[in-house]
Structures are given as C-alpha cells and as structure tokens.
Amino acid sequence: MLLTVSGPPGSGKSTTAGLLAEAFDLSHVSGGDIFRELADERGYTPLEFNKLAEENDQIDRDLDRRLREIARTEDDLVLESRLAGWLAGDEADFRFWLDAPANVRGQRIADREDKDPERATEETKAREASEAQRYEEYYGIDIQDLTIYDLSVNTARWDPDAVLDMLVTAVDEYEPNGDEGKAPVTLDYEFE
C-alpha cells in the first residue's frame, strides 16, 4: 500500500505521516527530511537552500526525481512531501492533503524552530510562494489544485490523533466495488 501525505509547511505532514506509517506498519519517507539532508550536506539552512533552489532548478528536480522513484519502486510506504500526491501519481492508493491557516502553521514552525511566530509565518508564506511558482514552471502543477486528493483536512481543527483517525478510517472503510473513480494524475515531465 502506498499512501501520500501532502500540504504546505507546518500543516502537520510529518507528524501525521509518521502516525499513519505506525498505524499501518508502513515505512515513512519524508521529502522534507531529504531536502534538509541535502541542504545540510551542502552547508545551507533549509531557507538558504530553498533560495538557492530558486536559481538552480536541479535541486528541486533531483529531490522530486528521488521521491518519484521511491513511489514507483517501493511498497508499504507513506510518502510525505508537498508534491507527494503528484509525484506518486497513479501509484498511490490514497492521496491526502493537510492544511491549516498560515498563522497556525507559522506558530507551529516557530515552536519547532524556536523563532518568532510572525517571522516564521512571513518566511513560510515567502517559501510557499517561491515553491508554487517553481512547481508551475517546472511541471505545470498548480499546488492549489486539490482535485487529485482523496481527502483534505484542516489540521487546525483537530488534534493529531483525530486527524490520524480520519485518515485511518478513510483507508479502512474503502470499498473497491463502490469506487467510482480515483482522480488521475497527469504530470507532463520526464524525471529520468
């Protein structure tokens, strides 16, 4: 089974993906962890590396290629990244989108990174705008288009366990005979 968890920074992707992997005894691969590792290996902070990625499209493409390959070759996995649903494409059994208001996400990031909440919110908004532009430019993906996702959840409304319960219920209650059609994912880009 391949589950994807996508959403903007601070939406609860990592927390939820980890809990989801645990609930179904699946591996968990995080695009954010891979991105941070790449940044650290090159001596950059994630924000600096993100800025560098604006000028060097190979950074995004290498990360996305790696995530797409994982989605195509590995089983029993929760794949987590902003583009996981798109990159996994039709390989995904379920695609989940998580979100929350910008100020809530900024506060979460501020708590995690020990920084000022307003600063974290502004940095997050700038990062999102930069990434959205790059996704559109590189792959023709409108990150605001949620039609490919099976379920979208505002994580500011429920605690992590309740969000997990929703996703687990969606997977457990799925009945293939009643499925009237999984949203196809068309990505006109060759990652090879």
Side-chain angles (χ1 to χ4, degrees):
M1 175 166 49
L2 173 59
L3 308 176
T4 69
V5 179
S6 300
S11 62
K13 290 184 308 296
S14 296
T15 298
T16 302
L19 292 170
L20 199 55
E22 222 175 88
F24 288 108
D25 195 26
L26 304 172
S27 297
H28 172 209
V29 173
S30 166
D33 287 348
I34 293 171
F35 187 83
R36 284 185 283 279
E37 286 172 16
L38 291 171
D40 189 53
E41 286 170 10
R42 292 172 171 92
Y44 294 101
T45 68
L47 184 60
E48 292 168 337
F49 201 51
N50 198 58
K51 293 269 189 215
L52 184 61
E54 290 177 15
E55 300 164 15
N56 181 353
D57 66 352
Q58 200 58 48
I59 293 170
D60 285 328
R61 294 174 197 269
D62 288 345
L63 173 64
D64 297 340
R65 180 181 304 110
R66 188 179 306 179
L67 293 172
R68 186 162 174 96
E69 183 62 26
I70 289 168
R72 288 185 163 180
T73 60
E74 293 188 27
D75 293 322
D76 299 326
L77 177 70
V78 176
L79 184 64
E80 168 222 336
S81 82
R82 266 179 284 307
L83 291 181
W86 289 95
L87 296 173
D90 293 333
E91 302 294 328
D93 293 294
F94 295 95
R95 294 180 225 119
F96 300 117
W97 178 264
L98 305 181
D99 206 347
N103 64 320
V104 172
R105 294 184 293 105
Q107 182 65 55
R108 290 173 179 170
I109 292 167
D111 291 345
R112 180 176 69 216
E113 298 179 4
D114 193 30
K115 61 172 63 168
D116 175 70
E118 283 186 34
R119 180 175 164 223
T121 300
E122 290 309 311
E123 287 177 357
T124 299
K125 287 179 181 179
R127 180 176 167 192
E128 286 178 71
S130 168
E131 290 171 347
Q133 181 180 345
R134 294 194 320 262
Y135 301 152
E136 180 70 41
E137 182 183 320
Y138 299 166
Y139 313 124
I141 293 173
D142 175 1
I143 197 69
Q144 299 299 317
D145 176 7
L146 304 183
T147 59
I148 69 161
Y149 296 97
D150 300 301
L151 186 62
S152 174
V153 178
N154 176 352
T155 62
R157 305 286 312 268
W158 296 276
D159 69 21
D161 289 331
V163 172
L164 174 65
D165 288 345
M166 287 180 223
L167 303 187
V168 167
T169 298
V171 173
D172 284 346
E173 296 297 321
Y174 174 71
E175 176 53 55
N177 293 334
D179 189 342
E180 294 184 6
K182 178 167 83 170
V185 176
T186 304
L187 192 56
D188 295 326
Y189 183 80
E190 290 300 320
F191 286 92
E192 284 69 59

